[in-house]
Amino acid sequence: MGNPHAEDATRARLMSRLLGRWMGRWRSAIRQYPWLNIVYKILVTLLGIVIIVVGLILVPLPGPGWLIVFVGLTLLGSEYHWARRVLGWLRAALARFWERWSTWRAQRRERRLVEPG
């Protein structure tokens, strides 16, 4: 039996490609007008910072705090290379954490099965 999420991944890649093409056309249209490009960059920056701040406020509370931070960084990453680098580092750190967590959980499960009682 194959990966049950393969169809979802294929659909996500297709949507990503379509959204990327649409955003490329959108950005090229905005770049034709220098004043509109500046306004767009300011709006993206402010919105990204607000989203990140809200996400950081929500981190200690129940809810999707880190997810919101990732969304804000993704938005900033659409305009700034430093945000793309930070987002890449955070994704790698999250992948390392998740791998360690999964390994720890598997070892814990095995210990519980082996130990009597």
Side-chain angles (χ1 to χ4, degrees):
M1 188 151 176
N3 183 357
H5 303 292
E7 185 179 319
D8 292 339
T10 304
R11 190 175 313 125
R13 277 192 293 278
L14 176 64
M15 287 175 51
S16 174
R17 246 182 280 137
L18 292 173
L19 183 64
R21 275 191 245 140
W22 181 78
M23 285 300 294
R25 288 192 304 267
W26 172 255
R27 287 298 290 143
S28 66
I30 287 176
R31 284 190 185 113
Q32 291 177 359
Y33 304 99
W35 65 271
L36 189 57
N37 192 31
I38 292 171
V39 169
Y40 176 79
K41 200 162 191 163
I42 290 171
L43 288 175
V44 166
T45 303
L46 290 176
L47 186 61
I49 289 171
V50 166
I51 291 172
I52 288 173
V53 168
V54 168
L56 289 173
I57 290 170
L58 293 177
V59 165
L61 302 174
W66 283 112
L67 179 63
I68 294 172
V69 171
F70 277 109
V71 169
L73 276 173
T74 302
L75 183 63
L76 286 176
S78 70
E79 290 298 313
Y80 300 104
H81 185 68
W82 63 266
R84 284 190 293 274
R85 285 195 318 258
V86 169
L87 188 59
W89 179 83
L90 281 174
R91 284 180 180 161
L94 181 62
R96 285 190 308 270
F97 169 79
W98 191 255
E99 182 63 33
R100 288 183 196 141
W101 174 261
S102 299
T103 303
W104 177 78
R105 294 279 299 185
Q107 290 171 349
R108 184 174 167 216
R109 193 176 310 113
E110 287 175 12
R111 279 192 308 251
R112 283 188 176 178
L113 292 176
V114 172
E115 293 176 359

